[in-house]
């Protein structure tokens, strides 16, 4: 079975959770939990925003969470807040563990800072893929990884 949604939520125009399937989030302001989301509330962006919340920032569960926020607007175009769907990182990791690969392929999940969120080798999780120690481990494949990440995060 694949990962499920950790929570669904709605914020008001200032970023405060006003509805959530996780009652522990009610009243919290997402821009204080994830400052990188401040732009969506200032610029009223139409672009979805993805953020990773560290465990100590997630009220209630204290589990790392990935959340996608999508801006919402009223019928005349005024920004009214966001809708968010969050999935706990452990759910994604469990899903990825269940994927069978052919030959020597595998999936690595990292954030835009290069921190490894999932790797089949548990000892790699939490390390930075750009760190010298990891670049040595990746060996000849590191140029492929570096080029792919440059293209994705450019």
């Amino acid at each position: 079975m694949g990962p499920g949604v950790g929570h669904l939520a709605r914020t008001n125009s200032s970023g405060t959770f006003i509805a959530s399937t996780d009652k522990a989030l009610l009243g919290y302001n997402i821009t204080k939990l994830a400052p990188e989301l401040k732009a969506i509330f200032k610029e009223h962006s139409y672009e979805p925003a993805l953020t990773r919340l560290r465990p100590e920032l997630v009220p209630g569960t204290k589990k790392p969470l990935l959340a996608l926020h999508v801006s919402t607007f009223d019928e005349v175009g005024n920004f009214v807040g966001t809708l968010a769907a969050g999935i706990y990182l452990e759910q994604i990791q469990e899903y990825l563990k269940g994927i069978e690969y052919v030959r020597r392929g595998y999936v690595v999940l990292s954030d835009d800072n290069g921190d490894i969120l999932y790797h089949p080798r548990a000892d790699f999780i939490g390390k930075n893929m750009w760190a010298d120690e990891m670049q040595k481990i990746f060996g000849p494949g590191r140029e492929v990884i570096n080029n792919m990440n440059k293209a994705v995060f450019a």
Side-chain angles (χ1 to χ4, degrees):
M1 177 156 183
V5 173
H7 75 83
L8 298 171
R10 176 158 170 67
T11 68
N12 63 17
S13 60
S14 65
T16 301
F17 286 104
I18 57 173
S20 177
T21 54
D22 182 350
K23 292 188 184 346
L25 292 173
L26 295 175
Y28 278 89
N29 188 294
I30 189 60
T31 62
K32 290 185 175 70
L33 298 174
E36 64 272 18
L37 285 178
K38 285 183 181 178
I40 201 171
F41 292 94
K42 284 184 180 177
E43 300 164 12
H44 308 153
S45 173
Y46 285 88
E47 294 294 318
L50 182 66
T51 190
R52 177 173 62 124
L53 296 178
R54 297 184 313 276
E56 66 273 14
L57 296 180
V58 181
T61 65
K62 303 295 185 199
K63 297 177 183 178
L65 180 80
L66 297 177
L68 180 67
H69 287 261
V70 178
S71 296
T72 57
F73 301 86
D74 66 14
E75 59 278 352
V76 293
N78 297 315
F79 176 76
V80 294
T82 65
L83 293 176
I87 185 168
Y88 294 106
L89 186 55
E90 68 185 14
Q91 292 173 294
I92 295 172
Q93 292 169 337
E94 284 302 313
Y95 177 74
L96 293 174
K97 283 180 191 175
I99 296 175
E100 293 184 27
Y101 306 99
V102 294
R103 296 192 180 178
R104 299 185 312 166
Y106 58 89
V107 172
V108 175
L109 177 64
S110 70
D111 65 12
D112 56 350
N113 295 321
D115 294 332
I116 298 173
L117 305 175
Y118 172 78
H119 192 285
R121 285 187 49 181
D123 58 320
F124 285 6
I125 296 173
K127 295 188 177 183
N128 189 283
M129 66 185 343
W130 311 124
D132 288 340
E133 85 176 283
M134 295 306 290
Q135 290 288 306
K136 289 176 187 170
I137 291 169
F138 289 140
R142 71 178 174 268
E143 283 305 313
V144 173
I145 293 168
N146 291 343
N147 289 336
M148 285 183 352
N149 282 315
K150 285 176 188 172
V152 169
F153 296 116

